[in-house]
Amino acid sequence: MVGVGPTPDNESALARVSIVNYHGDQIYDSFVQPKEAVTDYRTYVSGITPKLLQQARTFEIVQADVAALLQGKILIGHSVKNDLEALLIGHPKRDIRDTSRHPAYRQLAGGKTPGLKRLAKQILEVDIQGGEHSSIEDARATMPLFRREKSAFEQEHQKRWGAPRNTETNGAQKERPKGKKKRKK
């Protein structure tokens, strides 16, 4: 995120989107040209520089790319709501697994929302966000947190939503209608 407008400390715009698969392999990474004029690149934290945004894709292109990639998929992330809001897209709640909302991880933070940096250090024994933020690094740190507690995530999910869809077919599996069978003539 970069600062925009007359109060860049209070107003932010999306400047980079990164997506990894279940194993942490990068499947999408794009800089985003903010619609508003950038007034603070926050380079010391964001790693974003004016040069990086010169060849950035438009917000609309990145938004469409991400929406297409997420269609029919389980979305795993940390504080996913913020990411979806920044992209101005929705995703079915039953298809979201958010490490910031996982009870075992919230317990480590005294019932509050745990920071990704803290979880990575405490659970994975990995230091992240040690200077400039990398959205790829954040995404990659989130996946082992999910994999570590996958069965607990799915148990919580089942309590709330019932049996999970068939994720191998992304919910697109069709069943044959029950009733009379057609006979060959």
Side-chain angles (χ1 to χ4, degrees), residues 95-116:
D95 292 340
I96 294 174
R97 309 297 187 272
D98 192 332
T99 55
S100 75
R101 301 182 55 79
H102 183 55
Y105 294 154
R106 290 180 69 90
Q107 190 174 21
L108 292 173
K112 298 178 182 174
T113 302
L116 181 59

Side-chain angles (χ1 to χ4, degrees), residues 4-5 11 49 95 127 130 154 157:
V4 295
E11 297 179 55
T49 63
D95 292 340
D127 288 315
E154 296 309 326
H157 180 270

Side-chain angles (χ1 to χ4, degrees), residues 7-179:
T7 56
D9 290 341
N10 299 328
E11 297 179 55
S12 299
L14 186 66
R16 186 177 182 187
V17 174
S18 305
I19 300 174
V20 300
N21 66 15
Y22 181 82
H23 303 286
D25 301 321
Q26 176 184 316
I27 60 171
Y28 188 86
D29 188 33
S30 179
F31 291 100
V32 182
Q33 188 59 248
K35 290 184 172 203
E36 303 92 348
V38 178
T39 52
D40 184 358
Y41 286 88
R42 302 176 183 160
T43 303
Y44 64 97
V45 176
S46 71
I48 305 293
T49 63
K51 186 177 181 180
L52 290 173
L53 293 186
Q54 285 176 351
Q55 302 297 318
R57 293 181 176 113
T58 66
F59 176 84
E60 292 80 9
I61 289 172
V62 172
Q63 180 186 48
D65 288 349
V66 172
L69 281 169
L70 297 182
Q71 184 69 38
K73 303 285 192 318
I74 302 297
L75 174 59
I76 300 164
H78 189 83
S79 298
V80 174
K81 180 181 176 186
N82 298 331
D83 299 326
L84 295 173
E85 285 176 0
L87 283 161
L88 302 175
I89 60 175
H91 198 71
K93 287 183 180 181
R94 78 175 287 132
D95 292 340
I96 294 174
R97 309 297 187 272
D98 192 332
T99 55
S100 75
R101 301 182 55 79
H102 183 55
Y105 294 154
R106 290 180 69 90
Q107 190 174 21
L108 292 173
K112 298 178 182 174
T113 302
L116 181 59
K117 181 176 182 171
R118 180 179 179 180
L119 289 177
K121 181 67 175 170
Q122 261 186 287
I123 296 170
L124 305 175
E125 298 178 356
V126 172
D127 288 315
I128 64 169
Q129 303 172 358
E132 293 178 0
H133 229 94
S134 165
S135 52
I136 288 284
E137 180 182 54
D138 288 357
R140 285 186 173 143
T142 301
M143 295 314 294
L145 289 169
F146 172 76
R147 288 192 309 264
R148 179 183 183 95
E149 292 282 322
K150 184 179 181 203
S151 61
F153 271 97
E154 296 309 326
Q155 285 175 357
E156 281 295 314
H157 180 270
Q158 192 163 3
K159 279 186 213 172
R160 183 167 188 185
W161 300 102
R165 314 186 309 213
N166 181 347
T167 56
E168 285 187 352
T169 59
N170 294 324
Q173 185 175 18
K174 291 184 177 180
E175 290 185 25
R176 179 178 293 193
K178 294 187 169 75

